[in-house]
Amino acid sequence: MTTILAYPFKNLPTTSKWALRFAIRPLSCSSQLRAAPAVQTKTKKTLAKPNIRNVVVVDGVRTPFLLSGTSYKDLMPHDLARAALTGLLHRTSVPKEVVDYIIFGTVIQEVKTSNVAREAALGAGFSDKTPAHTVTMACISANQAMTTGVGLIASGQCDVIVAGGVELMSDVPIRHSRKMRKLMLDLNKAKSMGQRLSLISKFRLNFLAPELPAVAEFSTSETMGHSADRLAAAFAVSRLEQDEYALRSHSLAKKAQDEGLLSDVVPFRVPGKDTVTKDNGIRPSSLEQMAKLKPAFIKPYGTVTAANSSFLTDGASAILIMAEEKALAMGYKPKAYLRDFMYVSQDPKDQLLLGPTYATPKVLEKAGLTMNDIDAFEFHEAFSGQILANFKAMDSDWFAENYMGRKTKVGLPPLEKFNNWGGSLSLGHPFGATGCRLVMAAANRLRKEGGQYGLVAACAAGGQGHAMIVEAYPK
């Protein structure tokens, strides 16, 4: 089968098979800049399953998500994670001793606190008898933390779990070169002055060149932004469509922030600095200003820019999940049920960012739902082009048949139900923490808008993806 991204952007003719196929129904977001009215839905069936414990979200919080290099730049990841845990304790008043297990996701680990969940838990005052571990699954690390907790509760191993995630892009590990590391380790083992001098004589200036971390695939050496640019080209997503979608995200986020809808954000007093109370990456601009930016990855022909990409972000999130009977016995009124979920993997070269397209129909089928049943969609926005390419793939019978082995398409998420309070493009994307934000956005929107089912979905490095059904808890 011919790869869908076989052609570099500059060689992709506008009359190509892909451009014709996917440009038939162009997506314009300019008419969707305002949030949708409250969803009026009839009560549908519940997704409870016989002989399986119901798992509920009691509540969740997050620190304000900040542009890297700003107010959090002098902190360590466990400082942010501890702040999220402390905020969750204050929000829910859950006794620390009833928490059975703590799980956090992170991507770029601080070597001093590789199990950041444990260090943050101890710092937040949890008992040293409470186990904690850290998971990593790229941009769906917090999703993995939550679903691991769901499994522990559903199987009867635990009743109360705290899941979360953290990322601090302001201070990522920068390593010495391999040659320099080897030299330093060998010097440490040298037993005589002669051995040390012999090793030092092998030193060369180029040993000092550092190894910088990159948001790139190990298996392909391609940056995610470059892949997003090729994906947008393959699905005939224009620069204007991407800028319009990014403007929509920032505009809706600003509206939600101004109206106090981002209730999961808890203030964080940065040591030695002022208290941070809100996300600082929400910056509605204009299409005219956005059009002035140059391509960020494929130059000069690309369409992905700084304005239609998510930005490097610092932040942490935490969520309290329980067995339903435990939550009710403790007097809590849960916000939502965590229902069916699905993980998927695809080719990391040509389908790196198509996780939502593959995961959505599978999780809907598992839950016995259709797209029409979903009242609130919360998808991770890595890039505008990624979101719009997924839209076109999800709305294509041809793609479903030829690449997914399905008879029909899953369908296009209605924009009036989609990321109505902004998304990762505007709110920010701390790699390890975004999953909890998505779940809390879905749960809070369902309560606010009167819907019953939410669908959370995200792509991740490695060509992986995740989707989960969130069901509103009856009022």
Side-chain angles (χ1 to χ4, degrees), residues 101-106 117 133-137 140-152 161-166 317-319 321 338 343 432-433 435-436 466 468:
Y101 210 105
I102 298 170
I103 312 166
F104 257 63
T106 195
H133 81 266
T134 301
V135 297
T136 185
M137 201 175 181
I140 51 177
S141 295
N143 308 62
Q144 183 59 252
M146 287 184 289
T147 58
T148 299
V150 169
L152 288 171
I161 297 282
V162 171
V166 63
S317 58
I319 188 169
I321 59 179
L338 295 182
Y343 288 94
C436 291
H466 174 254
M468 186 191 323

Side-chain angles (χ1 to χ4, degrees), residues 263-434:
S263 58
D264 56 332
V265 178
V266 292
F268 175 37
R269 187 180 184 281
V270 181
K273 298 183 181 179
D274 294 334
T275 298
V276 180
T277 60
K278 62 182 181 179
D279 307 320
N280 72 355
I282 303 173
R283 299 178 178 180
S285 181
S286 67
L287 291 176
E288 292 73 24
Q289 288 297 113
M290 297 166 76
K292 295 178 182 179
L293 295 182
K294 295 181 179 179
F297 299 99
I298 297 181
K299 303 173 182 180
Y301 305 103
T303 57
V304 175
T305 71
N308 56 43
S309 307
S310 58
F311 49 87
L312 296 180
T313 314
D314 300 334
S317 58
I319 188 169
L320 179 62
I321 59 179
M322 293 187 181
E324 182 181 22
E325 66 270 20
K326 180 70 173 182
L328 296 179
M330 293 183 66
Y332 287 112
K333 178 68 173 178
K335 286 195 169 183
Y337 294 104
L338 295 182
R339 297 302 196 188
D340 292 289
F341 58 87
M342 180 66 63
Y343 288 94
V344 295
S345 291
Q346 297 80 235
D347 172 21
K349 178 67 175 178
D350 287 349
Q351 300 191 21
L352 177 69
L353 302 171
L354 290 178
T357 295
Y358 283 85
T360 294
K362 290 185 176 182
V363 79
L364 289 174
E365 287 178 355
K366 190 175 182 182
L369 301 176
T370 69
M371 291 287 271
N372 291 333
D373 293 314
I374 303 301
D375 304 304
F377 293 86
E378 286 292 331
F379 280 28
H380 164 48
E381 301 169 346
F383 304 89
S384 290
Q386 161 254 332
I387 286 289
L388 298 178
N390 273 276
F391 279 4
K392 292 194 175 187
M394 294 169 75
D395 201 34
S396 168
D397 284 320
W398 183 87
F399 187 87
E401 293 169 9
N402 288 275
Y403 285 91
M404 301 175 66
R406 305 183 64 84
K407 294 181 180 179
T408 58
K409 64 187 181 184
V410 65
L412 182 68
L415 271 180
E416 63 271 16
K417 298 180 180 180
F418 192 87
N419 290 10
N420 285 358
W421 295 353
S424 300
L425 288 171
S426 49
L427 299 172
H429 173 41
F431 300 147
T434 288

Side-chain angles (χ1 to χ4, degrees), residues 30 50 66 97 117 128 142 153 168 188 199-200 202 211 222 234 275 284 313 323 352 377 396 415 439 472:
S30 57
L66 302 189
E97 62 272 13
D128 58 9
I153 294 173
L168 185 72
N188 192 50
L199 287 168
I200 291 172
K202 298 177 181 179
E211 287 185 3
E222 183 177 41
T275 298
T313 314
L352 177 69
F377 293 86
S396 168
L415 271 180
V439 166

Side-chain angles (χ1 to χ4, degrees), residues 96-102 117-118 121-122 125-133 160 162:
K96 299 186 187 77
E97 62 272 13
V98 306
V99 175
D100 297 314
Y101 210 105
I102 298 170
R118 176 64 169 170
L122 293 173
F126 283 89
S127 168
D128 58 9
K129 302 296 190 293
T130 304
H133 81 266
V160 182
V162 171

Side-chain angles (χ1 to χ4, degrees), residues 45-304:
K45 64 177 182 179
T46 181
L47 297 182
K49 296 181 179 179
N51 303 319
I52 295 180
R53 301 175 91 191
N54 284 326
V55 180
V56 297
V57 174
V58 174
D59 212 335
V61 302
R62 63 182 177 90
T63 68
F65 287 177
L66 302 189
L67 291 152
S68 63
T70 55
S71 295
Y72 297 156
K73 65 182 179 181
D74 296 323
L75 302 178
M76 291 179 65
H78 80 284
D79 294 319
L80 287 176
R82 181 180 62 218
L85 289 174
T86 303
L88 185 66
L89 290 172
H90 289 163
R91 174 70 61 88
T92 62
S93 299
V94 64
K96 299 186 187 77
E97 62 272 13
V98 306
V99 175
D100 297 314
Y101 210 105
I102 298 170
I103 312 166
F104 257 63
T106 195
V107 179
I108 302 179
Q109 294 183 335
E110 163 61 57
V111 293
K112 294 180 180 179
T113 56
S114 57
N115 188 1
V116 70
R118 176 64 169 170
E119 305 304 334
L122 293 173
F126 283 89
S127 168
D128 58 9
K129 302 296 190 293
T130 304
H133 81 266
T134 301
V135 297
T136 185
M137 201 175 181
C139 300
I140 51 177
S141 295
N143 308 62
Q144 183 59 252
M146 287 184 289
T147 58
T148 299
V150 169
L152 288 171
I153 294 173
S155 64
Q157 300 299 310
C158 298
D159 291 324
V160 182
I161 297 282
V162 171
V166 63
E167 210 70 42
L168 185 72
M169 296 303 295
S170 289
D171 183 29
V172 295
I174 299 175
R175 303 200 302 178
H176 283 293
S177 68
R178 183 98 185 219
K179 291 180 179 178
M180 190 65 191
R181 298 199 305 271
K182 184 178 184 302
L183 178 62
M184 294 168 72
L185 291 171
D186 288 344
L187 277 171
N188 192 50
K189 297 175 184 177
K191 297 180 179 179
S192 68
M193 181 61 69
Q195 288 177 333
R196 293 189 185 95
L197 290 174
S198 176
L199 287 168
I200 291 172
S201 70
K202 298 177 181 179
F203 171 77
R204 298 292 182 271
L205 263 177
N206 63 3
F207 287 15
L208 295 177
E211 287 185 3
L212 301 174
V215 185
E217 291 297 303
F218 181 81
S219 61
T220 66
S221 299
E222 183 177 41
T223 64
M224 191 170 283
H226 194 284
S227 182
D229 227 327
R230 292 195 301 114
L231 189 71
F235 281 90
V237 180
S238 70
R239 165 74 180 269
L240 177 60
E241 287 175 317
Q242 293 176 62
D243 287 350
E244 284 182 335
Y245 183 84
L247 180 59
R248 174 189 188 270
S249 181
H250 280 272
S251 299
L252 292 180
K254 183 67 167 66
K255 186 173 186 292
Q257 188 179 67
D258 291 345
E259 294 178 359
L261 298 177
L262 306 180
S263 58
D264 56 332
V265 178
V266 292
F268 175 37
R269 187 180 184 281
V270 181
K273 298 183 181 179
D274 294 334
T275 298
V276 180
T277 60
K278 62 182 181 179
D279 307 320
N280 72 355
I282 303 173
R283 299 178 178 180
S285 181
S286 67
L287 291 176
E288 292 73 24
Q289 288 297 113
M290 297 166 76
K292 295 178 182 179
L293 295 182
K294 295 181 179 179
F297 299 99
I298 297 181
K299 303 173 182 180
Y301 305 103
T303 57
V304 175

